[in-house]
Amino acid sequence: MQAYCLLAKPRKFEHINQLAMNFELTEEHRAVQQAAREFARTELLPGVIERDEHQLFPAEQIKKMGELGFMGMMVSPQYGGSGMDTISYVLAMEEISKVDASASVCMSVNNSLVCWGIETYGTEEQKRKYLPRLARGEIIGAFCLSEPEAGSDATSQRTTAIDMGEYYLLNGTKNWITNGNSASVYIVMAQSHPEKRHKGINAFIVERHWSGVVVGKKENKMGIRGSDTHSIMFTDVKVPKENRIGEDGFGFTFAMETLNGGRIGIAAQALGIASGAYELALNYAKERKAFGQEIYKHQAIAFKLADMATQIEAARWLCLRAAWLKDNHQDYAAASAMAKLFASQVAMEVTTEAVQIHGGYGYVKEYHVERLMRDAKITQIYEGTSEIQKIVISRSILK
Ligand code: CAA
């Protein structure tokens, strides 16, 4: 296990910033990729079908991922993280998602929506208090933006946070919260000045054990069934002033900026789901015989595999490009939306074809591809639906 611990030796990626995007992974990148691949094979694959069937959260596996440095990959070592770049994160997300998309969404939310937001916009005190345990996976975080009546239309937040002087009084309900039950810390967006619309929204760090925080119904989902998705209710929760992130009214910008990075993680998840299904289909096509020969020798199957490989390669480069732009401090909002839009579509198409190549075997659970097909769908919905990604992209190209 120690052999591939990301935290074992501090790695430096500063040199990447001086390079143009050169289509070549560094030795360090390959080491991270290999470590994630090995972890997925040895620790996530056993039991993944059972966890999906019984909706079991991979708590033990997430703990190990924390110990190995996968839960705070981009957090600086000063705050307990692995200090890696976004390209490494994409590579690791792809490998973990090939095998277990329930574990990878937990990893993605913790890394990009929780740790990144706190490290980028939090106070020194907030970083010291929350990041080390989050980055080591000792605790897990969740991101509470969506509401029963505010999903895509995120500016219409109904949850309120009223300034009471010493603290904010938080009231409202959040829906579809990934890591809802396993999280100890929630980043919560709430409206403090309704007359200012989105400029009145604040973001807060809320601890689960505080009075008035109640974890609600667990969703019985089509896919990513091992991840725990819940509603969360906040009733007269007293949130100390020092737990607000950024200036008064910064919450919506905070959420949007955080989601720009989050979408790279989900794009990489979609990529992993697609490449996992493709690898299974390729292996199956080499073993399965029909009409006197292995099925890959039939052009109908060979052409499917060619299309799948091409789509995956294109999705991979969109993911890496968005990551590279982020690492190089360039505008990556549209690039991350493009990566998510395209990779999630590829995930749907490739997993559907993988089931088709497997024939009847693809429709039963032992062969994994039906689960990957079910898991793929959510990547077109969460962290902004495909339609929202098109809003972000079109506004960027038309401005
Ligand atoms: N990056 C940075 N800023 C952005 C932005 C982006 N991608 N998108 C919008 N903004 C800014 C705008 O510039 C504007 O700022 P100013 O007022 O300062 O100019 C502000 O946000 C409001 O934007 P609009 O006027 O465009 O507002 P709108 O209501 O027309 O559209 C939206 C906003 C882009 C549709 C936004 O509501 C949105 O992104 N919705 C989707 C929300 C979402 O992704 N939810 C996912 C939930 S989290 C989740 O799924 C996590 C999980 O558990 C897995």
Side-chain angles (χ1 to χ4, degrees):
M1 187 84 53
Q2 280 306 316
Y4 52 82
C5 179
L6 307 186
L7 295 167
K9 60 180 171 119
R11 295 164 199 273
K12 293 221 180 301
F13 285 90
E14 286 85 352
H15 63 284
I16 288 166
N17 296 337
Q18 280 120 50
L19 298 178
M21 191 175 173
N22 68 1
F23 300 94
E24 211 172 302
L25 299 179
T26 64
E27 218 174 283
E28 289 92 338
H29 289 142
R30 290 194 189 284
V32 173
Q33 187 178 44
Q34 187 53 36
R37 189 174 295 161
E38 191 58 16
F39 180 81
R41 190 180 62 80
T42 56
E43 304 283 343
L44 292 171
L45 188 58
V48 68
I49 292 174
E50 197 195 3
R51 291 196 297 276
D52 169 72
E53 177 129 27
H54 301 292
Q55 301 187 78
L56 302 174
F57 180 74
E60 213 180 286
Q61 291 80 357
I62 294 292
K63 191 167 172 288
K64 284 184 188 161
M65 283 165 69
E67 287 162 8
L68 295 171
F70 288 114
M71 296 304 282
M73 287 189 69
M74 294 165 292
V75 175
S76 104
Q78 166 187 10
Y79 300 113
S82 305
M84 305 197 122
D85 62 359
T86 317
I87 289 182
S88 305
Y89 173 55
V90 164
L91 298 172
M93 275 296 296
E94 179 182 353
E95 293 304 325
I96 301 286
S97 307
K98 276 183 188 176
V99 174
D100 189 343
S102 296
S104 75
V105 70
C106 176
M107 171 180 163
S108 178
V109 167
N110 201 67
N111 272 280
S112 18
L113 297 187
V114 179
C115 289
W116 186 85
I118 295 175
E119 184 162 22
T120 307
Y121 297 111
T123 61
E124 189 55 34
E125 195 192 343
Q126 289 167 351
K127 293 182 210 182
R128 282 181 199 280
K129 184 166 180 192
Y130 295 106
L131 279 178
R133 283 180 303 151
L134 283 165
R136 290 195 293 259
E138 290 163 15
I139 59 170
I140 297 171
F143 186 79
C144 302
L145 177 66
S146 300
E147 299 184 353
E149 290 172 77
S152 290
D153 185 9
T155 56
S156 300
Q157 296 283 298
R158 302 261 168 103
T159 298
T160 54
I162 306 303
D163 188 344
M164 306 297 281
E166 300 259 295
Y167 57 87
Y168 282 90
L169 202 60
L170 183 67
N171 278 289
T173 298
K174 297 289 178 177
N175 259 26
W176 317 111
I177 303 307
T178 304
N179 301 340
N181 191 38
S182 50
S184 303
V185 167
Y186 302 109
I187 307 275
V188 184
M189 270 52 71
Q191 181 56 268
S192 297
H193 312 280
E195 71 287 357
K196 295 187 184 169
R197 297 206 63 245
H198 66 277
K199 291 187 193 296
I201 294 171
N202 276 313
F204 302 95
I205 305 172
V206 176
E207 297 182 25
R208 188 220 173 115
H209 64 86
W210 288 350
S211 171
V213 179
V214 172
V215 176
K217 176 167 97 57
K218 177 174 178 158
E219 303 296 347
N220 185 2
K221 307 189 298 290
M222 167 185 174
I224 54 160
R225 288 169 58 79
S227 83
D228 60 328
T229 310
H230 287 254
S231 55
I232 314 284
M233 277 81 80
F234 301 97
T235 308
D236 289 338
V237 179
K238 289 182 179 175
V239 183
K241 273 266 165 82
E242 65 264 24
N243 275 40
R244 189 184 73 206
I245 302 177
E247 294 297 310
D248 188 23
F250 180 65
F252 193 74
T253 304
F254 168 84
M256 292 297 108
E257 293 292 349
T258 306
L259 281 164
N260 287 336
R263 288 166 185 161
I264 301 176
I266 300 304
Q269 181 190 42
L271 168 66
I273 293 170
S275 52
Y278 164 76
E279 286 174 14
L280 289 166
L282 184 64
N283 289 339
Y284 183 82
K286 287 179 182 168
E287 282 166 15
R288 174 76 176 169
K289 287 189 177 158
F291 304 103
Q293 58 184 351
E294 289 82 3
I295 60 171
Y296 79 89
K297 291 182 179 157
H298 297 291
Q299 196 180 61
I301 301 298
F303 278 16
K304 276 190 199 302
L305 291 167
D307 282 339
M308 290 156 84
T310 307
Q311 285 179 299
I312 288 168
E313 207 52 24
R316 183 173 292 118
W317 287 111
L318 281 180
C319 290
L320 291 173
R321 176 172 171 268
W324 185 88
L325 289 171
K326 181 167 179 279
D327 287 336
N328 285 276
H329 313 291
Q330 296 184 36
D331 186 356
Y332 58 91
S336 69
M338 284 180 188
K340 182 179 181 294
L341 173 68
F342 187 75
S344 60
Q345 189 180 315
V346 167
M348 276 314 292
E349 290 173 13
V350 167
T351 54
T352 306
E353 287 295 57
V355 171
Q356 191 68 18
I357 289 171
H358 279 77
Y361 292 104
Y363 206 64
V364 296
K365 294 194 182 292
E366 292 94 296
Y367 286 78
H368 296 279
V369 283
E370 65 81 33
R371 173 173 46 80
L372 291 168
M373 184 177 162
R374 286 186 284 106
D375 288 349
K377 184 61 201 169
I378 192 62
T379 64
Q380 293 185 309
I381 298 173
Y382 57 21
E383 299 203 23
T385 61
S386 293
E387 292 73 17
I388 290 294
Q389 307 314 319
K390 289 182 192 179
I391 291 179
V392 174
I393 297 162
S394 59
R395 284 183 183 170
S396 156
I397 58 181
L398 296 171
K399 75 182 172 195

